[in-house]
Every structure is written in C-alpha cells, then in structure tokens.
Coordinates of all heavy atoms in Angstrom, one line a residue:
M1 N 98.1 50.8 99.9 CA 99.1 49.8 99.7 C 99.2 48.9 101.0 O 99.1 49.3 102.0 CB 100.5 50.5 99.5 CG 100.7 51.2 98.3 SD 100.8 50.2 96.8 CE 102.2 50.8 96.0
A2 N 99.4 47.6 100.7 CA 99.3 46.6 101.7 C 100.5 45.6 101.4 O 100.8 45.4 100.2 CB 98.1 45.9 101.9
K3 N 101.2 45.3 102.4 CA 102.3 44.2 102.2 C 101.6 42.9 102.3 O 100.8 42.5 103.2 CB 103.3 44.3 103.4 CG 104.3 45.4 103.1 CD 105.3 45.3 104.1 CE 106.4 46.5 103.9 NZ 107.5 46.3 104.9
V4 N 102.0 42.1 101.2 CA 101.5 40.7 101.2 C 102.6 39.7 101.1 O 103.5 40.0 100.2 CB 100.5 40.5 99.9 CG1 100.1 39.1 99.7 CG2 99.3 41.4 100.1
I5 N 102.6 38.7 101.8 CA 103.5 37.6 101.8 C 103.2 36.7 100.4 O 102.1 36.1 100.4 CB 103.8 36.8 103.0 CG1 104.2 37.5 104.1 CG2 104.6 35.5 102.6 CD1 104.3 36.8 105.4
V6 N 104.2 36.6 99.4 CA 103.8 35.9 98.2 C 104.3 34.5 98.3 O 103.7 33.6 98.0 CB 104.3 36.6 97.0 CG1 104.1 35.9 95.7 CG2 103.8 38.0 96.9
C7 N 105.6 34.3 98.8 CA 106.2 33.0 98.9 C 107.3 33.0 99.8 O 107.7 34.2 100.3 CB 106.5 32.6 97.5 SG 107.7 33.7 96.7
K8 N 108.1 31.9 100.0 CA 109.2 31.9 100.7 C 110.4 32.1 99.7 O 110.2 31.9 98.5 CB 109.5 30.5 101.1 CG 108.5 29.9 102.2 CD 108.9 30.2 103.5 CE 108.0 29.7 104.6 NZ 107.9 30.6 105.6
Q9 N 111.4 32.9 100.2 CA 112.5 33.1 99.4 C 113.1 31.9 98.6 O 113.4 32.0 97.5 CB 113.6 33.7 100.2 CG 114.8 34.4 99.7 CD 115.8 35.0 100.7 OE1 115.5 34.8 101.9 NE2 116.7 35.6 100.4
A10 N 113.2 30.8 99.2 CA 113.7 29.6 98.7 C 112.7 28.9 97.7 O 113.1 27.9 96.9 CB 113.8 28.5 99.8
D11 N 111.5 29.5 97.6 CA 110.5 28.9 96.5 C 111.0 29.3 95.1 O 110.6 28.7 94.1 CB 109.1 29.5 96.8 CG 108.5 28.9 98.0 OD1 109.0 27.8 98.4 OD2 107.6 29.5 98.5
V12 N 111.8 30.4 95.0 CA 112.1 30.7 93.6 C 113.7 30.8 93.6 O 114.2 31.8 94.1 CB 111.5 32.2 93.2 CG1 111.8 32.5 91.8 CG2 109.9 32.2 93.5
Q13 N 114.3 29.8 92.9 CA 115.7 29.7 92.9 C 116.3 30.8 92.0 O 115.6 31.3 91.1 CB 116.0 28.4 92.4 CG 115.6 27.3 93.4 CD 116.3 27.3 94.7 OE1 117.5 27.4 94.8 NE2 115.4 27.3 95.8
L14 N 117.6 31.0 92.2 CA 118.3 32.0 91.4 C 118.1 31.8 89.9 O 118.3 30.7 89.4 CB 119.8 31.9 91.8 CG 120.7 32.9 91.2 CD1 120.4 34.3 91.5 CD2 122.2 32.6 91.5
G15 N 117.8 32.7 89.2 CA 117.6 32.7 87.8 C 116.4 32.1 87.3 O 116.3 31.7 86.1
T16 N 115.4 31.8 88.2 CA 114.2 31.3 87.8 C 112.9 32.1 88.1 O 113.1 33.2 88.8 CB 113.9 29.9 88.5 OG1 113.6 30.1 89.8 CG2 115.1 28.9 88.2
M17 N 111.8 31.7 87.7 CA 110.5 32.6 88.0 C 109.5 31.6 88.2 O 109.5 30.4 87.7 CB 110.2 33.5 86.8 CG 109.9 32.8 85.6 SD 109.5 33.9 84.3 CE 109.5 32.8 82.8
K18 N 108.4 32.0 89.0 CA 107.2 31.3 89.2 C 106.1 32.2 89.4 O 106.1 33.3 89.9 CB 107.5 30.5 90.6 CG 107.9 29.1 90.4 CD 107.9 28.5 91.8 CE 108.8 27.2 91.8 NZ 109.0 26.6 93.1
A19 N 104.9 31.6 89.1 CA 103.6 32.4 89.3 C 103.0 32.0 90.7 O 103.0 30.9 91.2 CB 102.7 32.2 88.3
F20 N 102.5 33.1 91.3 CA 101.8 32.9 92.6 C 100.4 33.6 92.6 O 100.4 34.7 92.2 CB 102.7 33.3 93.8 CG 103.9 32.6 94.0 CD1 105.1 33.0 93.2 CD2 104.0 31.4 94.7 CE1 106.1 32.4 93.4 CE2 105.1 30.7 94.8 CZ 106.2 31.2 94.2
A21 N 99.4 33.0 93.0 CA 98.1 33.6 93.1 C 98.1 34.3 94.6 O 98.4 33.6 95.5 CB 96.9 32.7 92.9
I22 N 97.6 35.5 94.6 CA 97.6 36.2 95.9 C 96.2 36.7 96.1 O 95.3 36.4 95.3 CB 98.6 37.3 96.2 CG1 98.4 38.4 95.0 CG2 100.1 36.7 96.0 CD1 99.2 39.6 95.4
E23 N 95.9 37.4 97.1 CA 94.6 37.9 97.4 C 94.0 38.7 96.2 O 94.8 39.4 95.5 CB 94.6 38.7 98.7 CG 95.5 39.7 98.7 CD 95.7 40.4 100.1 OE1 95.8 39.6 101.0 OE2 95.7 41.7 100.2
N24 N 92.8 39.1 96.2 CA 92.1 40.0 95.2 C 92.2 39.4 93.9 O 92.0 40.1 92.8 CB 92.8 41.3 95.3 CG 92.7 41.9 96.7 OD1 91.7 41.6 97.4 ND2 93.5 42.8 96.9
G25 N 92.5 38.1 93.7 CA 92.5 37.4 92.4 C 93.7 37.9 91.6 O 93.8 37.5 90.5
L26 N 94.6 38.5 92.2 CA 95.9 38.8 91.5 C 96.9 37.6 91.3 O 96.9 36.7 92.3 CB 96.7 39.9 92.3 CG 96.5 41.3 92.0 CD1 97.3 42.1 93.0 CD2 96.8 41.7 90.6
E27 N 97.4 37.5 90.2 CA 98.5 36.5 90.0 C 99.7 37.3 89.6 O 99.8 38.0 88.6 CB 98.0 35.5 89.0 CG 99.0 34.3 88.9 CD 98.6 33.2 87.9 OE1 97.8 33.4 87.1 OE2 99.1 32.1 88.0
L28 N 100.7 36.9 90.3 CA 102.1 37.5 90.1 C 103.1 36.6 89.6 O 103.1 35.4 90.1 CB 102.6 38.2 91.4 CG 101.6 39.3 92.0 CD1 102.3 39.9 93.2 CD2 101.2 40.3 91.1
V29 N 103.9 37.1 88.8 CA 105.1 36.1 88.6 C 106.3 36.8 89.3 O 106.6 38.1 89.2 CB 105.5 36.2 86.9 CG1 105.7 37.6 86.4 CG2 106.8 35.4 86.7
I30 N 107.0 36.0 90.1 CA 108.1 36.4 90.9 C 109.4 35.9 90.3 O 109.5 34.7 90.0 CB 108.1 35.9 92.3 CG1 106.7 36.2 93.0 CG2 109.3 36.3 93.1 CD1 106.6 37.8 93.3
A31 N 110.3 36.7 90.0 CA 111.6 36.2 89.4 C 112.8 36.6 90.4 O 112.8 37.6 91.0 CB 111.9 36.9 88.1
N32 N 113.8 35.6 90.4 CA 114.9 35.8 91.2 C 116.1 36.1 90.4 O 116.6 35.3 89.7 CB 115.1 34.5 92.0 CG 116.4 34.6 92.9 OD1 117.3 35.5 92.8 ND2 116.6 33.7 93.8
I33 N 116.5 37.4 90.4 CA 117.6 37.8 89.4 C 118.6 38.3 90.3 O 118.5 39.3 91.0 CB 117.1 39.0 88.6 CG1 115.9 38.4 87.7 CG2 118.2 39.5 87.6 CD1 115.1 39.6 87.0
E34 N 119.8 37.6 90.3 CA 120.9 37.8 91.2 C 120.6 38.0 92.6 O 121.0 39.0 93.3 CB 121.7 39.1 90.6 CG 122.3 38.8 89.2 CD 122.9 40.0 88.6 OE1 122.9 41.1 89.2 OE2 123.4 39.9 87.5
N35 N 119.7 37.1 93.1 CA 119.1 37.2 94.5 C 118.4 38.5 94.8 O 118.2 38.7 96.0 CB 120.4 36.8 95.5 CG 120.8 35.4 95.3 OD1 119.8 34.5 95.3 ND2 122.1 35.1 95.4
K36 N 117.9 39.1 93.8 CA 117.0 40.1 94.1 C 115.7 39.7 93.5 O 115.6 39.2 92.4 CB 117.5 41.5 93.6 CG 116.6 42.7 93.8 CD 117.3 44.0 93.6 CE 116.4 45.3 93.7 NZ 115.2 45.1 94.6
F37 N 114.5 40.1 94.2 CA 113.3 39.6 93.7 C 112.5 40.6 93.0 O 112.5 41.7 93.5 CB 112.5 38.9 94.9 CG 113.0 37.6 95.4 CD1 114.2 37.7 96.3 CD2 112.7 36.4 94.9 CE1 114.7 36.4 96.7 CE2 113.3 35.1 95.3 CZ 114.3 35.3 96.2
Y38 N 111.9 40.2 91.9 CA 111.0 41.1 91.1 C 109.5 40.6 91.0 O 109.4 39.3 90.8 CB 111.6 41.4 89.8 CG 113.0 42.2 89.8 CD1 114.1 41.5 90.1 CD2 113.0 43.5 89.9 CE1 115.3 42.0 90.1 CE2 114.2 44.2 89.9 CZ 115.4 43.5 90.2 OH 116.5 44.1 90.3
A39 N 108.6 41.5 91.0 CA 107.3 41.0 90.8 C 106.6 41.7 89.7 O 106.6 43.0 89.6 CB 106.4 41.1 92.2
M40 N 105.8 41.1 88.9 CA 105.0 41.6 87.8 C 103.8 40.9 87.7 O 103.6 39.7 88.0 CB 105.9 41.6 86.6 CG 105.3 42.4 85.4 SD 106.6 42.5 84.0 CE 106.3 40.9 83.2
N41 N 102.7 41.5 87.1 CA 101.5 40.8 86.7 C 101.9 39.6 85.9 O 102.7 39.7 85.0 CB 100.6 41.9 85.9 CG 99.4 41.2 85.4 OD1 98.8 40.5 86.1 ND2 99.0 41.6 84.2
A42 N 101.2 38.4 86.2 CA 101.6 37.2 85.6 C 101.0 36.9 84.2 O 101.3 35.9 83.5 CB 101.3 36.1 86.5
T43 N 100.1 37.7 83.8 CA 99.5 37.5 82.5 C 99.8 38.5 81.5 O 99.8 39.7 81.7 CB 97.8 37.4 82.6 OG1 97.4 38.7 83.2 CG2 97.3 36.4 83.4
C44 N 100.2 38.1 80.3 CA 100.7 39.0 79.3 C 99.5 40.0 78.8 O 98.4 39.6 78.6 CB 101.1 38.2 78.1 SG 101.8 39.0 76.7
N45 N 100.0 41.2 78.6 CA 99.0 42.3 78.2 C 98.6 42.0 76.7 O 97.7 42.8 76.3 CB 99.6 43.6 78.4 CG 99.5 44.2 79.8 OD1 98.6 43.8 80.4 ND2 100.3 45.2 80.0
H46 N 99.2 41.2 76.0 CA 98.6 41.0 74.6 C 97.4 40.2 74.6 O 96.4 40.7 74.1 CB 99.8 40.2 73.8 CG 99.4 39.9 72.5 ND1 99.5 38.6 71.9 CD2 98.8 40.6 71.5 CE1 99.1 38.6 70.7 NE2 98.7 39.8 70.4
A47 N 97.5 39.0 75.1 CA 96.3 38.1 75.0 C 96.2 37.2 76.3 O 95.7 36.0 76.2 CB 96.2 37.2 73.7
Q48 N 96.7 37.6 77.4 CA 96.6 36.9 78.6 C 97.4 35.7 78.7 O 97.1 34.8 79.5 CB 95.2 36.8 79.1 CG 94.3 38.0 79.0 CD 94.7 39.1 79.8 OE1 95.1 38.9 81.0 NE2 95.1 40.3 79.3
G49 N 98.5 35.7 78.0 CA 99.4 34.5 78.1 C 100.0 34.3 79.4 O 100.2 35.4 80.0
P50 N 100.3 33.2 79.9 CA 100.8 32.8 81.2 C 102.3 33.0 81.2 O 103.2 32.1 80.9 CB 100.5 31.3 81.4 CG 100.4 30.8 80.1 CD 100.1 31.8 79.1
L51 N 102.7 34.2 81.7 CA 104.2 34.6 81.6 C 105.1 33.7 82.2 O 106.3 33.5 81.8 CB 104.3 36.0 82.0 CG 103.7 37.1 81.0 CD1 103.8 38.5 81.7 CD2 104.4 37.1 79.6
A52 N 104.7 33.1 83.3 CA 105.7 32.3 84.1 C 105.9 31.0 83.4 O 106.9 30.2 83.9 CB 105.1 32.0 85.5
E53 N 105.1 30.7 82.4 CA 105.3 29.4 81.7 C 106.2 29.7 80.5 O 106.6 28.8 79.6 CB 104.0 28.9 81.2 CG 103.2 28.4 82.4 CD 101.9 27.8 81.9 OE1 101.6 27.5 80.7 OE2 100.9 27.8 82.8
G54 N 106.7 30.9 80.4 CA 107.6 31.4 79.2 C 109.1 31.1 79.8 O 109.4 30.3 80.6
T55 N 110.0 31.8 79.2 CA 111.4 31.8 79.6 C 111.9 33.0 80.2 O 111.4 34.1 79.9 CB 112.2 31.4 78.3 OG1 112.1 32.5 77.4 CG2 111.8 30.0 77.7
L56 N 112.9 32.9 81.0 CA 113.5 34.0 81.7 C 115.0 34.0 81.4 O 115.8 33.1 81.5 CB 113.4 33.9 83.2 CG 114.0 35.0 84.0 CD1 113.3 36.3 83.8 CD2 114.0 34.5 85.5
E57 N 115.5 35.0 80.8 CA 116.9 35.3 80.5 C 117.3 36.6 81.0 O 116.7 37.6 80.4 CB 117.0 35.3 79.0 CG 116.8 33.8 78.3 CD 117.0 33.9 76.8 OE1 118.2 34.0 76.3 OE2 116.0 33.8 76.1
G58 N 118.2 36.6 81.9 CA 118.4 37.9 82.7 C 117.2 38.5 83.3 O 116.5 37.7 84.0
S59 N 116.7 39.7 82.9 CA 115.5 40.2 83.5 C 114.4 40.2 82.5 O 113.4 40.7 82.6 CB 115.7 41.6 83.8 OG 116.0 42.4 82.7
I60 N 114.6 39.4 81.3 CA 113.6 39.4 80.2 C 112.8 38.1 80.2 O 113.4 37.0 80.1 CB 114.3 39.6 78.8 CG1 115.2 40.8 78.8 CG2 113.3 39.7 77.7 CD1 114.6 42.1 79.1
I61 N 111.5 38.3 80.3 CA 110.5 37.1 80.2 C 110.0 37.1 78.8 O 109.5 38.1 78.3 CB 109.3 37.3 81.2 CG1 109.9 37.3 82.6 CG2 108.4 36.3 80.9 CD1 108.8 37.6 83.6
T62 N 110.1 36.0 78.2 CA 109.5 35.8 76.8 C 108.1 35.0 77.0 O 108.2 34.0 77.6 CB 110.3 35.0 75.8 OG1 111.7 35.8 75.8 CG2 109.7 34.8 74.5
C63 N 107.0 35.6 76.5 CA 105.7 35.0 76.6 C 105.6 33.8 75.8 O 106.1 33.8 74.7 CB 104.7 36.1 76.2 SG 103.0 35.4 76.3
P64 N 105.2 32.6 76.5 CA 105.1 31.4 75.7 C 104.0 31.4 74.5 O 104.2 30.5 73.6 CB 104.6 30.5 76.8 CG 103.8 31.2 77.8 CD 104.5 32.6 77.7
W65 N 103.2 32.4 74.5 CA 102.2 32.3 73.4 C 102.6 32.9 72.1 O 102.6 32.2 71.0 CB 100.8 32.9 74.0 CG 100.2 31.9 74.9 CD1 100.6 30.8 75.4 CD2 98.9 32.1 75.4 NE1 99.6 30.3 76.3 CE2 98.5 31.0 76.2 CE3 97.9 33.2 75.3 CZ2 97.3 30.9 76.9 CZ3 96.7 33.1 76.0 CH2 96.3 32.0 76.7
H66 N 103.0 34.1 72.1 CA 103.3 34.8 70.9 C 104.7 35.5 70.9 O 105.0 36.3 70.0 CB 102.2 35.8 70.5 CG 100.8 35.3 70.5 ND1 100.1 35.6 71.7 CD2 100.2 34.4 69.8 CE1 98.9 35.0 71.5 NE2 98.9 34.2 70.4
G67 N 105.4 35.2 72.0 CA 106.8 35.8 72.1 C 107.2 37.2 72.5 O 108.2 37.6 72.3
A68 N 106.1 37.8 73.0 CA 106.4 39.2 73.4 C 107.5 39.1 74.6 O 107.5 38.3 75.4 CB 105.1 39.9 74.1
K69 N 108.5 40.0 74.6 CA 109.5 40.0 75.5 C 109.3 41.2 76.5 O 109.2 42.4 76.1 CB 110.9 40.3 74.9 CG 111.3 39.0 74.1 CD 112.6 39.1 73.4 CE 112.9 38.0 72.5 NZ 113.0 36.7 73.0
W70 N 109.2 40.9 77.8 CA 109.0 41.9 78.8 C 110.2 42.0 79.8 O 110.7 40.9 80.2 CB 107.8 41.6 79.6 CG 106.4 41.4 78.9 CD1 105.9 40.3 78.3 CD2 105.6 42.4 78.6 NE1 104.8 40.6 77.7 CE2 104.5 41.9 77.8 CE3 105.6 43.7 78.9 CZ2 103.4 42.8 77.4 CZ3 104.6 44.6 78.5 CH2 103.4 44.0 77.8
D71 N 110.5 43.1 80.2 CA 111.5 43.4 81.3 C 110.9 43.4 82.7 O 110.1 44.4 82.9 CB 112.3 44.6 81.1 CG 113.5 44.8 82.0 OD1 113.4 44.2 83.1 OD2 114.3 45.5 81.6
I72 N 111.0 42.5 83.4 CA 110.3 42.3 84.6 C 110.8 43.4 85.7 O 110.0 43.8 86.6 CB 110.4 40.9 85.3 CG1 109.4 40.7 86.5 CG2 111.8 40.6 85.8 CD1 109.3 39.3 87.1
T73 N 111.9 44.0 85.6 CA 112.3 45.0 86.4 C 111.7 46.2 86.3 O 111.5 47.2 87.1 CB 113.9 45.3 86.3 OG1 114.1 45.9 85.0 CG2 114.7 44.0 86.5
K74 N 111.1 46.4 85.0 CA 110.3 47.7 84.7 C 108.9 47.5 84.2 O 108.2 48.5 84.2 CB 111.1 48.5 83.6 CG 112.5 48.8 84.0 CD 113.2 49.4 82.7 CE 114.7 49.6 83.0 NZ 115.4 49.4 81.7
G75 N 108.6 46.3 83.9 CA 107.2 46.0 83.3 C 107.2 46.5 81.8 O 106.2 46.6 81.2
S76 N 108.3 46.8 81.2 CA 108.3 47.4 79.9 C 108.3 46.3 78.9 O 109.0 45.3 79.0 CB 109.4 48.4 79.7 OG 110.7 47.7 80.1
L77 N 107.8 46.6 77.7 CA 107.8 45.8 76.6 C 109.2 46.0 75.8 O 109.5 47.1 75.6 CB 106.6 45.9 75.7 CG 106.5 45.0 74.4 CD1 106.1 43.7 74.8 CD2 105.4 45.7 73.5
V78 N 110.0 44.9 75.6 CA 111.2 45.1 75.0 C 111.2 44.8 73.5 O 111.8 45.4 72.7 CB 112.2 44.1 75.7 CG1 113.6 44.1 74.9 CG2 112.3 44.4 77.2
E79 N 110.3 43.7 73.2 CA 110.3 43.4 71.8 C 109.0 42.7 71.5 O 108.5 41.9 72.1 CB 111.5 42.4 71.4 CG 111.6 42.2 69.9 CD 112.8 41.2 69.9 OE1 113.8 41.3 70.5 OE2 112.6 40.1 69.1
F80 N 108.3 43.2 70.4 CA 107.0 42.6 69.9 C 106.5 43.4 68.7 O 107.0 44.5 68.5 CB 106.0 42.7 71.0 CG 104.8 41.8 70.8 CD1 105.1 40.4 70.5 CD2 103.5 42.2 70.7 CE1 103.9 39.6 70.3 CE2 102.4 41.3 70.5 CZ 102.6 40.1 70.3
A81 N 105.7 42.8 67.9 CA 105.3 43.5 66.8 C 104.4 44.6 67.0 O 104.2 45.5 66.2 CB 104.7 42.4 65.7
L82 N 103.6 44.6 68.1 CA 102.7 45.6 68.4 C 103.1 46.4 69.7 O 103.9 45.9 70.5 CB 101.3 44.9 68.8 CG 100.7 43.9 67.8 CD1 99.5 43.2 68.3 CD2 100.4 44.8 66.5
D83 N 102.5 47.6 69.8 CA 102.7 48.3 71.0 C 101.8 47.7 72.0 O 100.6 47.6 71.6 CB 102.5 49.9 70.8 CG 103.7 50.5 70.1 OD1 104.8 50.0 70.2 OD2 103.3 51.5 69.5
L84 N 102.3 47.6 73.2 CA 101.3 47.1 74.3 C 101.6 47.9 75.6 O 102.7 48.6 75.8 CB 101.7 45.5 74.6 CG 101.7 44.5 73.6 CD1 102.2 43.2 74.2 CD2 100.1 44.5 73.3
D85 N 100.5 48.1 76.5 CA 100.7 48.7 77.6 C 101.8 48.2 78.6 O 102.1 47.0 78.5 CB 99.3 48.8 78.6 CG 98.3 49.6 77.8 OD1 98.6 50.5 76.9 OD2 97.1 49.4 78.1
L86 N 102.3 48.9 79.4 CA 103.1 48.4 80.5 C 102.6 47.4 81.3 O 101.4 47.4 81.6 CB 103.6 49.5 81.4 CG 104.6 50.5 81.0 CD1 104.7 51.6 82.2 CD2 105.9 49.9 80.7
E87 N 103.3 46.3 81.8 CA 102.7 45.4 82.7 C 103.0 46.1 84.1 O 103.9 46.8 84.4 CB 103.6 44.1 82.7 CG 103.4 43.3 81.4 CD 102.1 42.4 81.6 OE1 101.3 42.5 82.7 OE2 101.7 41.7 80.6
Q88 N 102.1 45.8 85.0 CA 102.1 46.3 86.3 C 103.1 45.6 87.1 O 103.3 44.3 87.1 CB 100.8 46.0 87.1 CG 100.7 46.5 88.5 CD 100.7 48.0 88.6 OE1 99.7 48.6 88.1 NE2 101.5 48.5 89.4
T89 N 104.1 46.3 87.6 CA 105.2 45.8 88.6 C 104.9 46.2 90.1 O 104.1 47.1 90.2 CB 106.5 46.2 88.2 OG1 106.7 47.7 88.1 CG2 106.8 45.6 86.8
Y90 N 105.5 45.5 90.9 CA 105.3 45.6 92.3 C 106.5 45.7 93.1 O 107.6 45.0 92.8 CB 104.4 44.6 92.9 CG 103.0 44.5 92.3 CD1 103.0 43.8 91.1 CD2 101.9 45.1 92.7 CE1 101.7 43.6 90.4 CE2 100.7 45.0 92.0 CZ 100.6 44.2 90.8 OH 99.5 44.2 90.3
E91 N 106.7 46.7 94.2 CA 107.9 46.7 95.0 C 107.9 45.4 95.8 O 106.9 45.0 96.2 CB 107.7 47.9 95.9 CG 107.9 49.2 95.2 CD 109.3 49.5 94.8 OE1 110.2 49.1 95.4 OE2 109.3 50.1 93.6
T92 N 109.1 44.8 95.9 CA 109.2 43.6 96.6 C 110.3 43.7 97.8 O 111.2 44.7 97.6 CB 109.7 42.4 95.8 OG1 111.0 42.6 95.3 CG2 108.7 42.2 94.5
A93 N 110.3 43.1 98.7 CA 111.4 42.8 99.8 C 111.4 41.5 100.3 O 110.4 40.8 100.2 CB 110.9 44.0 100.8
V94 N 112.6 41.2 101.0 CA 112.6 39.9 101.7 C 112.5 40.2 103.1 O 113.3 41.0 103.7 CB 113.9 39.2 101.2 CG1 114.1 38.0 102.1 CG2 113.9 38.8 99.8
E95 N 111.5 39.5 103.8 CA 111.4 39.8 105.2 C 111.3 38.5 105.9 O 110.4 37.6 105.6 CB 110.1 40.7 105.6 CG 110.3 42.1 105.0 CD 109.1 42.9 105.3 OE1 108.2 42.5 105.9 OE2 109.0 44.1 104.8
N96 N 112.2 38.1 106.8 CA 112.2 36.7 107.5 C 112.2 35.6 106.5 O 111.3 34.7 106.9 CB 111.0 36.7 108.6 CG 111.1 37.9 109.5 OD1 112.1 38.2 110.0 ND2 109.9 38.6 109.8
G97 N 112.7 35.7 105.5 CA 112.8 34.6 104.6 C 111.6 34.5 103.6 O 111.5 33.6 102.8
N98 N 110.8 35.5 103.6 CA 109.6 35.6 102.9 C 109.7 36.6 101.7 O 110.4 37.7 102.1 CB 108.3 35.9 103.6 CG 108.0 34.8 104.6 OD1 108.0 33.6 104.3 ND2 107.7 35.2 105.8
V99 N 109.2 36.5 100.6 CA 109.2 37.5 99.5 C 107.7 38.3 99.8 O 106.7 37.6 99.7 CB 109.3 36.9 98.1 CG1 109.1 38.1 97.1 CG2 110.5 36.2 98.0
V100 N 108.0 39.5 100.0 CA 106.7 40.4 100.4 C 106.7 41.4 99.3 O 107.6 42.0 98.8 CB 107.1 41.1 101.8 CG1 106.0 42.0 102.0 CG2 107.3 40.0 102.8
V101 N 105.4 41.6 98.9 CA 105.1 42.5 97.8 C 104.1 43.6 98.2 O 103.2 43.3 99.1 CB 104.5 41.8 96.6 CG1 104.0 42.6 95.5 CG2 105.6 40.8 96.0
E102 N 104.3 44.8 97.8 CA 103.5 45.8 98.2 C 102.4 45.9 96.9 O 102.6 46.1 95.9 CB 104.1 47.3 98.1 CG 105.2 47.4 99.1 CD 104.7 48.3 100.3 OE1 103.6 48.7 100.2 OE2 105.5 48.5 101.1
V103 N 101.1 45.6 97.5 CA 100.0 45.6 96.4 C 98.9 46.7 96.8 O 98.8 47.0 98.0 CB 99.3 44.3 96.3 CG1 100.3 43.3 95.6 CG2 98.8 43.7 97.6
Ligands
FES1 S1 99.7 36.4 75.0 FE1 101.9 37.0 75.3 S2 102.5 37.6 73.3 FE2 100.5 37.1 73.0

C-alpha cells in the first residue's frame, strides 16, 4: 500500500465528484459527501462506462451508460438488472489540503 495525492481538497466541491488519473494507469472517481472524501475505481464494472460523467445523489453514483447504481462508500451495486462484481474502493484521508488515497 502506498499513499498517493490525488487532488486538492478544493478540487471536489461538496456534493460533487470528479475523475482523476493517478499512477499505474488507475483512474479514480473522488466524491465529496458531507465533506468526507471517498474514492472508487472510475470505470463501471458493467461495460467500462465513465462513472464520474454520471450523477451523484447522496453516496449513489448512477452510471451514464446503462444506469447501474453504485454506492461509492462501499463499492457495492445498489440497482441494476445484472449482478456485477464490487467496484474497488480506496481508503482516503485529507492531509495538508490534499486528498490522499491508499493504493
Ligand atoms: S457501463 Fe455502466 S451500466 Fe453499463
């Protein structure tokens, strides 16, 4: 496990999410939910849809391609016609104004 700075705290406003590419080709979606930051793999496990281009309601991201609903706090699938594997989530922390993720 290594700590990686993903973005500045101010880059992801309250109630929003954004995708960030980090080392090793990983792309993460970072969501700011009640000023706590959550990190999850940014591509949908169904057909690789770009989750950060979907919508965020509470902790639920709806994939823009076929509507799968994911809970970013757990990586779990909340609603979809098919069973899908969990999305990978990552521990996050705020350090010196940066959002840091354990990868
Ligand atoms: S790619 Fe996300 S629901 Fe199909």
Side-chain angles (χ1 to χ4, degrees):
M1 292 289 231
K3 282 186 178 181
V4 175
I5 295 173
V6 178
C7 61
K8 299 265 184 223
Q9 194 175 3
D11 290 339
V12 185
Q13 296 297 309
L14 181 64
T16 70
M17 62 179 170
K18 265 189 200 168
F20 297 90
I22 62 167
E23 59 191 39
N24 303 332
L26 269 178
E27 190 179 15
L28 303 183
V29 56
I30 303 289
N32 177 346
I33 301 167
E34 297 177 357
N35 285 318
K36 184 162 170 34
F37 291 86
Y38 294 88
M40 190 172 81
N41 178 38
T43 54
C44 182
N45 273 346
H46 176 230
Q48 308 303 304
L51 291 173
E53 294 177 21
T55 58
L56 176 69
E57 290 176 71
S59 65
I60 307 300
I61 297 174
T62 301
C63 179
W65 283 7
H66 315 101
K69 293 183 185 293
W70 298 95
D71 185 338
I72 192 173
T73 67
K74 302 175 190 145
S76 55
L77 183 66
V78 175
E79 189 182 316
F80 195 53
L82 306 171
D83 284 336
L84 301 173
D85 290 340
L86 281 176
E87 287 281 357
Q88 178 76 51
T89 56
Y90 301 86
E91 289 293 320
T92 68
V94 175
E95 295 180 2
N96 301 320
N98 296 313
V99 178
V100 175
V101 173
E102 295 256 2
V103 294

